[in-house]
Amino acid sequence: AAQVEAERAALGALRGRLAEARAELGEARARAAATGGALEQSEHRTRLAEERAALALMRLGEREAAPPVPETDPGPQAFAELARRYAALEARYRRLVADDIALAEAEAERLSGY
């Protein structure tokens, strides 16, 4: 009977250690998930920064390479080209803003605990 009681006590201690190990494993998994999420957000921010820098360089290059615009009416072809470029930039900015909004919403959800 004493030996059975000692083995039950040892079993209880082992179950306690198992519960602690499972809790540590859960915490480690949560930290890994949080780190992975932070890494994804960092990579997303880096891609956005790269795209913005490329867009800024493109604009700078267009300004430096573009011939001077005469003060008179440049004609319908020049206006069409200008409208095309503006539409392309507008679409790119809309995507960048949408990405920024999505990133901010994801961060807000993460911080709120949902």
Side-chain angles (χ1 to χ4, degrees), residues 80-113:
E81 176 63 17
L82 180 62
R84 186 195 63 75
R85 285 185 182 181
Y86 177 78
L89 289 176
E90 183 73 19
R92 188 172 186 105
Y93 273 123
R94 281 194 301 266
R95 284 193 306 271
L96 290 174
V97 169
D99 287 346
D100 283 347
I101 290 170
L103 184 63
E105 287 173 345
E107 183 71 11
E109 284 182 28
R110 185 184 70 79
L111 292 175
S112 67

Side-chain angles (χ1 to χ4, degrees), residues 13-50:
L14 289 174
R15 285 184 177 157
R17 282 195 249 161
L18 177 61
E20 290 173 2
R22 285 182 176 159
E24 289 177 16
L25 177 61
E27 291 172 5
R29 285 181 176 160
R31 283 192 305 270
T35 301
L39 178 61
E40 287 178 18
Q41 288 180 354
S42 177
E43 289 172 349
H44 179 73
R45 287 180 180 147
T46 301
R47 281 192 304 275
L48 287 176
E50 288 171 352

Side-chain angles (χ1 to χ4, degrees), residues 37-85:
L39 178 61
E40 287 178 18
Q41 288 180 354
S42 177
E43 289 172 349
H44 179 73
R45 287 180 180 147
T46 301
R47 281 192 304 275
L48 287 176
E50 288 171 352
E51 288 178 6
R52 287 185 181 133
L55 183 60
L57 287 173
M58 181 183 76
R59 286 177 146 184
L60 181 63
E62 285 177 354
R63 271 192 245 138
E64 290 176 356
V69 178
E71 293 296 323
T72 61
D73 183 20
Q77 290 175 344
F79 179 77
E81 176 63 17
L82 180 62
R84 186 195 63 75
R85 285 185 182 181

